[in-house]
Protein backbone atom coordinates (compact mmCIF):
# COMPACT_ATOMS: atom_id res chain seq x y z
CA UNK A 1 0.00 0.00 0.00
CA UNK A 2 2.81 2.41 0.83
CA UNK A 3 5.65 3.10 -1.53
CA UNK A 4 9.18 3.42 -0.24
CA UNK A 5 10.77 6.56 -1.59
CA UNK A 6 13.93 8.44 -0.78
CA UNK A 7 13.15 11.46 1.40
CA UNK A 8 15.70 13.65 -0.39
CA UNK A 9 14.32 12.71 -3.82
CA UNK A 10 10.81 13.51 -2.60
CA UNK A 11 12.05 16.84 -1.22
CA UNK A 12 13.64 17.69 -4.59
CA UNK A 13 10.27 17.04 -6.25
CA UNK A 14 8.63 19.38 -3.74
CA UNK A 15 11.27 22.03 -4.46
CA UNK A 16 10.46 21.65 -8.16
CA UNK A 17 6.79 22.29 -7.39
CA UNK A 18 7.75 25.48 -5.56
CA UNK A 19 10.01 26.55 -8.44
CA UNK A 20 7.15 25.95 -10.87
CA UNK A 21 4.88 28.21 -8.79
CA UNK A 22 2.58 25.36 -7.78
CA UNK A 23 2.98 26.15 -4.09
CA UNK A 24 4.15 29.06 -1.96
CA UNK A 25 5.75 27.03 0.79
CA UNK A 26 6.78 23.46 1.44
CA UNK A 27 7.05 21.63 4.72
CA UNK A 28 7.02 18.20 6.29
CA UNK A 29 4.98 16.21 8.76
CA UNK A 30 6.04 13.83 11.53
CA UNK A 31 9.75 14.35 10.91
CA UNK A 32 12.22 13.86 13.72
CA UNK A 33 15.52 15.70 14.03
CA UNK A 34 17.45 13.11 12.00
CA UNK A 35 15.01 13.33 9.11
CA UNK A 36 15.01 17.14 9.20
CA UNK A 37 18.80 17.17 9.16
CA UNK A 38 18.76 14.81 6.18
CA UNK A 39 16.76 17.41 4.23
CA UNK A 40 18.54 20.49 5.60
CA UNK A 41 21.98 19.05 4.85
CA UNK A 42 21.02 17.76 1.39
CA UNK A 43 23.54 18.88 -1.25
CA UNK A 44 21.94 21.41 -3.57
CA UNK A 45 19.14 22.28 -1.15
CA UNK A 46 17.09 25.14 -2.59
CA UNK A 47 14.44 25.48 0.12
CA UNK A 48 14.43 24.17 3.64
CA UNK A 49 11.13 23.05 5.19
CA UNK A 50 9.03 25.97 6.37
CA UNK A 51 7.24 23.83 8.93
CA UNK A 52 7.07 20.42 10.55
CA UNK A 53 3.63 19.26 11.67
CA UNK A 54 3.70 16.82 14.60
CA UNK A 55 1.50 15.54 17.40
CA UNK A 56 2.12 17.95 20.27
CA UNK A 57 0.25 18.59 23.53
CA UNK A 58 1.13 18.86 27.23
CA UNK A 59 1.54 15.07 27.50
CA UNK A 60 3.91 15.11 24.48
CA UNK A 61 5.42 18.58 24.45
CA UNK A 62 8.20 17.82 21.93
CA UNK A 63 10.46 20.39 23.63
CA UNK A 64 13.72 19.08 22.12
CA UNK A 65 12.23 19.01 18.63
CA UNK A 66 10.73 22.48 19.17
CA UNK A 67 14.13 23.88 20.19
CA UNK A 68 15.81 22.25 17.20
CA UNK A 69 13.18 23.60 14.80
CA UNK A 70 13.48 27.09 16.28
CA UNK A 71 17.26 26.94 15.82
CA UNK A 72 16.73 26.15 12.13
CA UNK A 73 13.89 28.68 11.64
CA UNK A 74 11.36 25.89 11.02
CA UNK A 75 7.87 26.42 12.44
CA UNK A 76 6.58 23.55 14.54
CA UNK A 77 2.87 22.98 13.90
CA UNK A 78 0.97 21.11 16.61
CA UNK A 79 -1.80 18.70 15.73
CA UNK A 80 -3.68 16.90 18.48
CA UNK A 81 -3.10 19.89 20.75
CA UNK A 82 -6.32 19.04 22.61
CA UNK A 83 -5.68 15.32 22.77
CA UNK A 84 -7.89 13.03 20.71
CA UNK A 85 -11.38 11.59 20.68
CA UNK A 86 -10.79 8.42 22.67
CA UNK A 87 -13.68 6.71 20.83
CA UNK A 88 -11.74 6.59 17.54
CA UNK A 89 -10.45 3.11 16.69
CA UNK A 90 -6.90 4.29 15.95
CA UNK A 91 -6.44 5.88 19.38
CA UNK A 92 -4.96 3.85 22.23
CA UNK A 93 -7.76 3.26 24.74
CA UNK A 94 -5.59 2.97 27.84
CA UNK A 95 -4.32 6.56 27.73
CA UNK A 96 -5.51 9.41 29.97
CA UNK A 97 -7.75 12.12 28.54
CA UNK A 98 -5.76 15.34 28.23
CA UNK A 99 -8.63 17.77 28.85
CA UNK A 100 -9.67 15.87 32.00
CA UNK A 101 -6.24 16.30 33.58
CA UNK A 102 -6.68 17.86 37.05
CA UNK A 103 -3.60 20.07 36.64
CA UNK A 104 -4.90 21.54 33.38
CA UNK A 105 -8.35 21.95 34.93
CA UNK A 106 -6.89 23.81 37.94
CA UNK A 107 -5.00 26.23 35.68
CA UNK A 108 -8.14 26.73 33.60
CA UNK A 109 -10.19 27.48 36.73
CA UNK A 110 -7.54 29.94 37.94
CA UNK A 111 -7.81 31.89 34.67
CA UNK A 112 -11.57 31.47 34.19
CA UNK A 113 -10.95 29.44 31.01
CA UNK A 114 -11.61 25.97 29.68
CA UNK A 115 -8.99 23.22 29.74
CA UNK A 116 -8.94 23.39 25.93
CA UNK A 117 -8.13 27.10 26.02
CA UNK A 118 -5.27 26.44 28.44
CA UNK A 119 -3.88 23.64 26.23
CA UNK A 120 -4.03 25.90 23.16
CA UNK A 121 -2.56 28.93 24.94
CA UNK A 122 0.29 26.77 26.25
CA UNK A 123 1.34 25.91 22.71
CA UNK A 124 0.98 29.49 21.44
CA UNK A 125 3.18 30.83 24.21
CA UNK A 126 5.80 28.23 23.31
CA UNK A 127 5.85 29.56 19.74
CA UNK A 128 3.96 26.80 17.96
CA UNK A 129 1.26 27.12 15.36
CA UNK A 130 -1.72 25.16 16.67
CA UNK A 131 -4.32 23.16 14.76
CA UNK A 132 -7.49 22.61 16.75
CA UNK A 133 -10.24 20.47 15.28
CA UNK A 134 -13.86 20.69 16.32
CA UNK A 135 -17.27 20.26 14.75
CA UNK A 136 -19.01 22.02 17.62
CA UNK A 137 -19.61 25.75 16.97
CA UNK A 138 -19.45 26.65 20.68
CA UNK A 139 -16.06 24.96 21.06
CA UNK A 140 -14.79 26.56 17.85
CA UNK A 141 -15.59 29.99 19.28
CA UNK A 142 -13.97 29.07 22.61
CA UNK A 143 -10.86 27.83 20.80
CA UNK A 144 -10.44 31.29 19.26
CA UNK A 145 -10.60 33.01 22.65
CA UNK A 146 -6.97 32.32 23.52
CA UNK A 147 -5.40 35.63 22.56
CA UNK A 148 -6.71 37.76 25.41
CA UNK A 149 -4.95 36.07 28.32
CA UNK A 150 -1.48 34.85 29.25
CA UNK A 151 -0.37 31.87 31.25
CA UNK A 152 2.13 32.73 33.96
CA UNK A 153 5.70 31.42 33.96
CA UNK A 154 4.63 29.13 36.81
CA UNK A 155 1.69 27.84 34.75
CA UNK A 156 4.01 27.15 31.81
CA UNK A 157 6.48 25.30 34.02
CA UNK A 158 3.66 23.25 35.54
CA UNK A 159 2.34 22.35 32.09
CA UNK A 160 5.86 21.48 30.91
CA UNK A 161 5.95 19.04 33.84
CA UNK A 162 3.01 17.08 32.40
CA UNK A 163 5.17 15.76 29.55
CA UNK A 164 4.92 11.97 29.66
CA UNK A 165 5.90 11.15 26.07
CA UNK A 166 2.33 9.93 25.46
CA UNK A 167 1.36 9.55 21.83
CA UNK A 168 -2.33 9.21 21.16
CA UNK A 169 -1.80 8.56 17.47
CA UNK A 170 -0.05 5.24 16.95
CA UNK A 171 1.49 5.05 13.48
CA UNK A 172 1.48 1.27 13.21
CA UNK A 173 0.73 1.25 9.47
CA UNK A 174 4.26 2.49 8.82
CA UNK A 175 6.26 0.02 10.92
CA UNK A 176 7.94 -1.45 7.80
CA UNK A 177 9.06 1.96 6.51
CA UNK A 178 12.86 2.38 6.72
CA UNK A 179 12.36 5.76 8.43
CA UNK A 180 10.09 4.35 11.16
CA UNK A 181 9.85 5.28 13.95
CA UNK A 182 9.35 8.80 12.74
CA UNK A 183 9.65 10.06 16.26
CA UNK A 184 12.89 8.43 17.36
CA UNK A 185 15.35 10.65 19.17
CA UNK A 186 13.50 13.97 18.82
Amino acid sequence: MFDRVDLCATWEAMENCKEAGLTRSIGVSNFNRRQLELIINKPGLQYKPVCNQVECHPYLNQSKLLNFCKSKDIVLVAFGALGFDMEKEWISKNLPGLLQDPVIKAIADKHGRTPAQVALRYQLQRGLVVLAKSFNEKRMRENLQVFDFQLTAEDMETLDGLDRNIRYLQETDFRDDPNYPFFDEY
Side-chain angles (χ1 to χ4, degrees):
M1 180 172 164
F2 298 104
D3 214 2
R4 291 200 176 126
V5 295
D6 178 77
L7 293 178
C8 287
T10 300
W11 190 254
E12 284 179 27
M14 293 174 69
E15 288 179 319
N16 291 339
C17 289
K18 181 164 172 46
E19 281 295 312
L22 299 174
T23 185
R24 291 184 193 169
S25 300
I26 50 178
V28 295
S29 179
N30 297 315
F31 271 41
N32 60 35
R33 179 183 178 143
R34 179 185 55 81
Q35 292 163 320
L36 286 168
E37 286 177 332
L38 188 67
I39 299 297
I40 293 168
N41 297 328
K42 182 183 84 60
L45 179 72
Q46 294 177 359
Y47 305 101
K48 69 178 178 182
V50 171
C51 64
N52 183 20
Q53 182 178 316
V54 297
E55 180 180 347
C56 190
H57 43 75
Y59 288 169
L60 181 67
N61 72 23
Q62 304 266 21
S63 61
K64 289 180 182 177
L65 183 60
L66 174 61
N67 290 335
F68 175 77
C69 286
K70 283 181 177 180
S71 77
K72 301 298 180 187
D73 200 28
I74 298 171
V75 176
L76 199 62
V77 178
F79 73 79
L82 302 177
F84 284 86
D85 180 352
M86 301 307 279
E87 301 301 313
K88 300 294 184 192
E89 68 230 28
W90 59 85
I91 303 301
S92 298
K93 303 296 184 240
N94 58 341
L95 299 176
L98 180 72
L99 298 182
Q100 288 75 43
D101 187 285
V103 172
I104 295 174
K105 283 184 168 187
I107 292 171
D109 289 344
K110 175 176 127 179
H111 291 279
R113 301 296 174 148
T114 66
Q117 289 171 322
V118 167
L120 295 173
R121 185 70 212 172
Y122 168 69
Q123 299 293 26
L124 292 172
Q125 282 185 223
R126 296 173 69 224
L128 282 82
V129 170
V130 183
L131 304 176
K133 178 179 161 189
S134 180
F135 295 102
N136 179 296
E137 185 176 344
K138 179 179 180 272
R139 284 195 297 260
M140 284 186 234
R141 289 184 195 284
E142 284 177 355
N143 290 346
L144 290 172
Q145 295 172 351
V146 295
F147 300 104
D148 59 348
F149 78 104
Q150 292 277 320
L151 297 171
T152 66
E154 181 184 332
D155 294 335
M156 294 296 289
E157 188 175 320
T158 299
L159 291 167
D160 283 340
L162 294 178
D163 186 29
R164 303 174 188 172
N165 202 31
I166 291 177
R167 289 182 189 280
Y168 288 103
L169 190 60
Q170 302 298 315
E171 298 170 348
T172 56
D173 290 342
F174 304 102
R175 287 201 193 276
D176 294 333
D177 188 287
N179 291 300
Y180 186 87
F182 304 110
F183 42 81
D184 66 353
E185 307 143 29
Y186 61 89

